[in-house]
């Protein structure tokens, strides 16, 4: 038993293996259903508290989040945190993504940031918890340790997550306690989505095929039949049979529901139905489900669709259903809820096919790109620039400030009127000298700027740590490789009137150089050659020309830790997004994407690459 006073945060597992928190409001809603016990029905309709989550239902019996329009299942968990931590104070830390919207950090990361913030640390390095970022509280920025790219962060106040006190089991099962099953029934929610879920579940449990009524209007339903549902899956528990997805042409959704049996239900419990008394011959709810024929399912679907339509709540579309017989979307949707209520894994839709590559192209069909010379570029190891010290480099970009303002140097966090607080290897300049960057006007200790330059790529360029203005020509640490580019005679989704530019990046594994994170250590190169695609439009060719500049400056790739696999010392993308799906957009790295070309131009500009750069390369 765990003796605790804790905050409860409900979390779901994303495709990268990270547990992502639901918002405080959603967690409160889920917790209320959990505490209500079986009388609440065992399902949580997330759209009731957050309209953006309208397609999602949580099944507390299997501890899965179910998306009604795609059938996607994701595990959920009920996690506990210290009441004095960020979730116990209603503090949420977020970072700004590429679309300009705000994304909350994982709860572990947010708690770590808040702890450092409360201790009044000027910054915190997240490497110790597996993230290659530094959080700078003075600029409210997140800095990528590998690429030095900075994103904005923010701290905001929200609801406090729900609190629990007393003793509780470490492995929480549902319902929370046996006593909840016999407590007086709570007032039924009258929202149309809850009416839909609860009435369908009641039809499954009692084998009803008559007209459906909202839960509040039902009569003569004995609460004593409500029993304990099986606990959520945990280590050593055999998972539900995931092969019950609907596949095969010519079979309707309803017919497969009727035939499907799941033999591996935990012993002594039935999923989605009340447990029968010993010696009773009453069939469990799963068998009652099988008694519903196609006409009954259609009647259920039509009745519930009318409830939704009459209330003005839009129904969730079910797409991509293949088969020889037509399936009413309402029928398919209600069948999904029926299967969810009975504890069955559901996949009502056939997911769109991932199309990474175009149809085969012969060599004779591959053409060079008009206005772009050659069809490939190679990069070699960096040639070190000699003859200029850091002080000589910075002298070109700085103006000395004789009377510094009463402000902090945002590098060392000491006052500009005081000597630099940098404690690393000692530059040759005096620690009290102050300089102003000529273009952006930001002021720093020259001592700090020299130290920052020495810790960087030492390529003769400097990037203002406040506004990211680039002085000189910024280069990266991309390992040696080859970039090929040509035209293929196929069109991308969303660009039907033009051919496609295909880019092929090839980088072999090797040994890290002095400019890399771990000099002398080997690095891996996963997923090469990597194929990327651009429309052969005027803007698409413009992007290609700038990508060629970025390649020559070694800014497309870097060596670091993969955010997808967690592998370190491997080749990773370097903050310039590419489209690697040719004929779909399932991963977000494909087409159609109306804003992609503008977004990648902005990303290239942040690396100091614009139309002026192509002219500089020619010079």
């Amino acid at each position: 038993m765990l003796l605790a006073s804790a905050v409860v945060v409900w979390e779901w597992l994303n495709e990268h293996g990270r547990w992502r928190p639901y918002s405080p409001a959603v967690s409160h809603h889920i917790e209320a259903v959990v505490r209500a016990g079986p009388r609440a029905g065992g399902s949580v309709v997330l759209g009731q508290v957050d309209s953006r989550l309208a397609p999602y239902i949580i099944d507390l019996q299997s501890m899965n989040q179910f998306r009604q329009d795609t059938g996607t299942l994701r595990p959920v968990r009920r996690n506990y945190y210290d009441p004095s931590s960020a979730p116990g104070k209603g503090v949420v830390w977020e970072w700004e993504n590429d679309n300009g919207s705000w994304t909350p950090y994982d709860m572990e990361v947010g708690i770590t940031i808040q702890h450092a913030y409360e201790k009044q640390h000027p910054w915190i390095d997240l490497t110790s918890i597996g993230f290659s970022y530094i959080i700078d509280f003075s600029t409210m920025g997140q800095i990528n340790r590998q690429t030095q790219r900075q994103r904005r962060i923010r701290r905001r106040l929200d609801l406090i997550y729900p609190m629990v006190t007393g003793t509780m089991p470490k492995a929480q099962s549902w319902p929370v306690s046996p006593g909840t099953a016999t407590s007086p029934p709570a007032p039924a929610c009258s929202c149309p989505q809850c009416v839909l879920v609860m009435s369908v579940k009641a039809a499954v449990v009692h084998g009803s095929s008559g007209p459906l009524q909202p839960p509040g209007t039902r009569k003569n339903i004995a609460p004593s039949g409500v029993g304990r549902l099986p606990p959520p899956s945990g280590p050593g528990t055999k998972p539900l049979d995931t092969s019950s997805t609907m596949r095969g042409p010519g079979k309707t959704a309803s017919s497969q529901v009727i035939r499907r049996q799941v033999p591996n239900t935990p012993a002594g419990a039935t999923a989605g139905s009340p447990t029968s008394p010993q010696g009773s011959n009453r069939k469990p709810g799963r068998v009652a489900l099988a008694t519903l024929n196609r006409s009954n399912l259609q009647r259920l679907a039509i009745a519930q669709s009318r409830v939704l339509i009459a209330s003005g709540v839009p129904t969730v579309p079910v797409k991509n259903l293949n088969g020889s017989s037509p399936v009413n979307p309402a029928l398919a949707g209600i069948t999904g809820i029926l299967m969810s209520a009975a504890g069955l894994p559901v996949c009502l839709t056939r997911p769109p096919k991932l199309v990474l590559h175009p149809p085969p192209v012969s060599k004779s069909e591959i053409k060079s790109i008009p206005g772009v010379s050659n069809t490939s570029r190679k990069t070699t190891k960096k040639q070190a620039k000699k003859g200029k010290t850091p002080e000589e480099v910075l002298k070109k970009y700085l103006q000395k400030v004789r009377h510094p303002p009463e402000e902090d140097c945002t590098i060392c966090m000491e006052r500009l009127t005081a000597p630099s607080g940098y404690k690393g290897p000692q530059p040759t300049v005096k620690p009290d000298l102050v300089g102003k960057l000529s273009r952006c006007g930001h002021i720093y200790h020259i001592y700090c700027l020299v130290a920052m330059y020495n810790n960087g790529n030492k390529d003769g360029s400097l990037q203002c740590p406040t506004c990211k203005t680039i002085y000189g020509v910024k280069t990266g640490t991309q390992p040696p490789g080859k970039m090929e580019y040509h035209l293929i005679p196929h069109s991308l989704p969303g660009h039907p009137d033009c051919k496609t530019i295909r880019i092929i990046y090839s980088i072999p594994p090797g040994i890290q150089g002095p400019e890399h994170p771990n000099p002398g250590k080997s690095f891996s190169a996963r997923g090469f050659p990597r194929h990327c695609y651009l429309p052969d439009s005027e803007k698409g060719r413009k992007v290609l020309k700038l990508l060629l500049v970025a390649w020559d400056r070694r800014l497309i790739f870097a060596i670091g830790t993969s955010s997808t696999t967690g592998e370190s010392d491997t080749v990773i993308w370097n903050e310039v997004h590419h489209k690697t799906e040719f004929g779909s957009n399932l991963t977000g790295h494909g087409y159609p994407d109306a804003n992609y070309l503008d977004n990648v131009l902005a990303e290239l500009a942040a690396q100091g690459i614009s139309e002026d750069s192509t002219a500089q390369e020619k010079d």
Side-chain angles (χ1 to χ4, degrees), residues 336-577:
I337 297 175
L338 288 168
M339 292 177 70
S340 175
L344 294 171
V346 180
C347 182
L348 285 178
T349 64
R350 292 186 181 277
K353 187 178 179 181
L354 181 68
V355 182
L356 289 177
H357 302 295
V361 179
S362 66
K363 287 186 178 180
S364 62
E365 293 178 304
I366 295 176
K367 306 293 183 183
S368 60
I369 303 167
V372 180
S373 60
N374 304 316
T375 57
S376 66
R377 297 276 182 95
K378 289 185 178 181
T379 56
T380 57
K381 291 186 177 180
K382 177 184 176 183
Q383 300 297 318
K385 296 185 179 181
K386 298 181 180 180
K388 286 193 175 182
T389 65
E391 292 80 1
E392 290 173 327
V393 171
L394 295 180
K395 188 176 181 180
K396 299 186 299 182
Y397 311 133
L398 285 174
Q399 301 169 356
K400 285 188 178 180
V401 176
R402 295 183 181 277
H403 303 289
E406 287 288 338
E407 298 174 359
D408 288 342
C409 169
T410 57
I411 299 176
C412 70
M413 303 308 299
E414 296 291 343
R415 304 297 283 182
L416 290 169
T417 52
S420 167
Y422 178 71
K423 303 300 181 184
Q426 303 298 312
T428 58
V429 297
K430 295 180 180 179
D432 57 351
L433 291 180
V434 175
K436 180 172 74 173
L437 291 171
S438 57
R439 284 165 52 198
C440 63
H442 289 110
I443 303 175
Y444 306 95
H445 291 117
I446 298 178
Y447 193 85
C448 293
L449 287 173
V450 170
M452 185 180 76
Y453 182 86
N454 282 330
N455 288 328
N457 205 22
K458 301 178 189 175
D459 59 357
S461 71
L462 180 71
Q463 188 164 14
C464 174
T466 299
C467 66
K468 304 306 175 187
T469 298
I470 296 173
Y471 295 82
V473 176
K474 180 181 178 180
T475 61
T477 61
Q478 177 180 291
K482 183 179 181 181
M483 175 184 181
E484 301 174 78
Y485 42 94
H486 48 248
L487 282 181
I488 57 174
H490 300 291
S491 297
L492 293 165
H495 299 275
D497 300 328
C498 60
K499 296 179 181 179
T500 296
I501 298 170
R502 178 168 62 184
I503 304 170
I504 304 175
Y505 294 111
S506 300
I507 295 179
I511 304 298
Q512 298 182 50
E515 73 272 27
H516 294 137
N518 296 297
K521 186 177 179 181
S522 62
F523 67 87
S524 61
R526 311 292 185 192
F528 288 94
R530 298 187 186 183
H531 292 228
C532 308
Y533 305 96
L534 292 168
D536 183 34
S537 60
E538 181 180 353
K539 188 176 285 187
R541 292 183 188 182
K542 175 182 177 182
V543 169
L544 173 65
K545 291 176 182 178
L546 297 184
L547 287 176
L548 289 170
V549 175
W551 174 263
D552 291 338
R553 295 183 183 179
R554 305 174 70 213
L555 292 168
I556 300 291
F557 296 98
I559 294 176
T561 300
S562 170
S563 61
T564 304
T565 66
E567 181 183 11
S568 58
D569 297 304
T570 191
V571 179
I572 59 174
W573 293 106
N574 185 33
E575 306 292 345
V576 178
H577 287 81

Side-chain angles (χ1 to χ4, degrees), residues 265-309:
T265 306
T270 59
S273 66
T275 55
S276 301
Q278 291 185 354
S280 171
N281 294 324
R282 185 180 183 274
K283 294 182 178 180
R286 188 166 291 162
V287 179
L289 172 64
T291 65
L292 298 177
N293 59 26
R294 181 182 176 86
S295 61
N296 288 336
L297 287 171
Q298 286 178 324
R299 186 158 48 249
L300 290 173
I302 293 170
Q304 295 309 319
S305 296
R306 287 173 179 167
V307 171
L308 292 175
I309 294 169

Side-chain angles (χ1 to χ4, degrees), residues 31-32 74 78 109 168 181 185 204 243 277 325 408 460 471 574 576 580:
E31 193 67 12
R74 295 192 185 278
R78 185 183 191 227
V109 179
M168 67 197 76
V204 172
S243 63
S325 60
D408 288 342
Y471 295 82
N574 185 33
V576 178
T580 54

Side-chain angles (χ1 to χ4, degrees), residues 36-51:
R39 72 179 187 275
S43 289
V44 186
V45 182
L46 300 187
Q48 185 180 350
V49 68
D50 188 337
S51 60

